[in-house]
PDB file of all heavy atoms in Angstrom:
ATOM      1  N   PRO V  50      70.394 -50.333  25.530  1.00 87.00           N
ATOM      2  CA  PRO V  50      69.383 -49.431  26.084  1.00 87.00           C
ATOM      3  C   PRO V  50      69.709 -47.977  25.750  1.00 87.00           C
ATOM      4  O   PRO V  50      70.808 -47.691  25.297  1.00 87.00           O
ATOM      5  CB  PRO V  50      69.494 -49.685  27.595  1.00 87.00           C
ATOM      6  CG  PRO V  50      70.902 -50.143  27.809  1.00 87.00           C
ATOM      7  CD  PRO V  50      71.324 -50.830  26.539  1.00 87.00           C
ATOM      8  N   THR V  56      74.596 -36.149  36.153  1.00 89.00           N
ATOM      9  CA  THR V  56      75.838 -35.507  36.593  1.00 89.00           C
ATOM     10  C   THR V  56      76.134 -35.756  38.066  1.00 89.00           C
ATOM     11  O   THR V  56      77.243 -35.533  38.521  1.00 89.00           O
ATOM     12  CB  THR V  56      75.770 -33.980  36.386  1.00 89.00           C
ATOM     13  OG1 THR V  56      74.603 -33.495  37.051  1.00 89.00           O
ATOM     14  CG2 THR V  56      75.701 -33.636  34.914  1.00 89.00           C
ATOM     15  N   ASN V  82      51.955 -25.139  44.716  1.00 92.00           N
ATOM     16  CA  ASN V  82      50.773 -25.674  45.398  1.00 92.00           C
ATOM     17  C   ASN V  82      49.473 -25.272  44.698  1.00 92.00           C
ATOM     18  O   ASN V  82      48.428 -25.827  44.988  1.00 92.00           O
ATOM     19  CB  ASN V  82      50.757 -25.271  46.875  1.00 92.00           C
ATOM     20  CG  ASN V  82      50.899 -23.776  47.065  1.00 92.00           C
ATOM     21  OD1 ASN V  82      51.173 -23.059  46.104  1.00 92.00           O
ATOM     22  ND2 ASN V  82      50.712 -23.303  48.271  1.00 92.00           N
ATOM     23  N   GLU V 108      67.011 -36.068  39.108  1.00 94.00           N
ATOM     24  CA  GLU V 108      67.283 -35.533  37.772  1.00 94.00           C
ATOM     25  C   GLU V 108      66.006 -35.504  36.925  1.00 94.00           C
ATOM     26  O   GLU V 108      65.797 -34.572  36.137  1.00 94.00           O
ATOM     27  CB  GLU V 108      68.350 -36.365  37.047  1.00 94.00           C
ATOM     28  CG  GLU V 108      69.736 -36.302  37.687  1.00 94.00           C
ATOM     29  CD  GLU V 108      69.904 -37.296  38.818  1.00 94.00           C
ATOM     30  OE1 GLU V 108      68.954 -38.061  39.099  1.00 94.00           O
ATOM     31  OE2 GLU V 108      70.993 -37.304  39.429  1.00 94.00           O
ATOM     32  N   ARG V 163      49.421 -31.764  56.673  1.00 82.00           N
ATOM     33  CA  ARG V 163      49.757 -33.190  56.659  1.00 82.00           C
ATOM     34  C   ARG V 163      50.984 -33.372  57.543  1.00 82.00           C
ATOM     35  O   ARG V 163      51.576 -32.383  57.973  1.00 82.00           O
ATOM     36  CB  ARG V 163      50.074 -33.641  55.232  1.00 82.00           C
ATOM     37  CG  ARG V 163      51.275 -32.900  54.646  1.00 82.00           C
ATOM     38  CD  ARG V 163      51.407 -33.200  53.175  1.00 82.00           C
ATOM     39  NE  ARG V 163      52.547 -32.519  52.593  1.00 82.00           N
ATOM     40  CZ  ARG V 163      53.774 -32.991  52.617  1.00 82.00           C
ATOM     41  NH1 ARG V 163      54.054 -34.144  53.180  1.00 82.00           N
ATOM     42  NH2 ARG V 163      54.759 -32.319  52.046  1.00 82.00           N
ATOM     43  N   GLU V 166      57.500 -33.388  56.603  1.00 89.00           N
ATOM     44  CA  GLU V 166      58.205 -34.187  55.600  1.00 89.00           C
ATOM     45  C   GLU V 166      59.105 -35.245  56.234  1.00 89.00           C
ATOM     46  O   GLU V 166      59.261 -36.335  55.684  1.00 89.00           O
ATOM     47  CB  GLU V 166      59.046 -33.280  54.691  1.00 89.00           C
ATOM     48  CG  GLU V 166      58.234 -32.476  53.691  1.00 89.00           C
ATOM     49  CD  GLU V 166      57.601 -31.232  54.302  1.00 89.00           C
ATOM     50  OE1 GLU V 166      57.750 -31.025  55.521  1.00 89.00           O
ATOM     51  OE2 GLU V 166      56.954 -30.475  53.561  1.00 89.00           O
ATOM     52  N   PRO V 170      56.650 -41.755  55.420  1.00 85.00           N
ATOM     53  CA  PRO V 170      57.273 -43.082  55.253  1.00 85.00           C
ATOM     54  C   PRO V 170      58.063 -43.121  53.946  1.00 85.00           C
ATOM     55  O   PRO V 170      57.722 -42.423  52.994  1.00 85.00           O
ATOM     56  CB  PRO V 170      56.072 -44.020  55.189  1.00 85.00           C
ATOM     57  CG  PRO V 170      54.930 -43.169  54.761  1.00 85.00           C
ATOM     58  CD  PRO V 170      55.199 -41.793  55.291  1.00 85.00           C
ATOM     59  N   ASP V 171      59.131 -43.926  53.932  1.00 84.00           N
ATOM     60  CA  ASP V 171      59.917 -44.101  52.707  1.00 84.00           C
ATOM     61  C   ASP V 171      59.032 -44.652  51.611  1.00 84.00           C
ATOM     62  O   ASP V 171      58.405 -45.699  51.797  1.00 84.00           O
ATOM     63  CB  ASP V 171      61.030 -45.120  52.974  1.00 84.00           C
ATOM     64  CG  ASP V 171      62.315 -44.415  53.352  1.00 84.00           C
ATOM     65  OD1 ASP V 171      62.312 -43.173  53.280  1.00 84.00           O
ATOM     66  OD2 ASP V 171      63.285 -45.097  53.712  1.00 84.00           O
TER      67      ASP V 171
END
Side-chain angles (χ1 to χ4, degrees):
Chain V
T56 55
N82 53 351
E108 294 85 1
R163 61 190 180 85
E166 286 80 357
D171 265 354

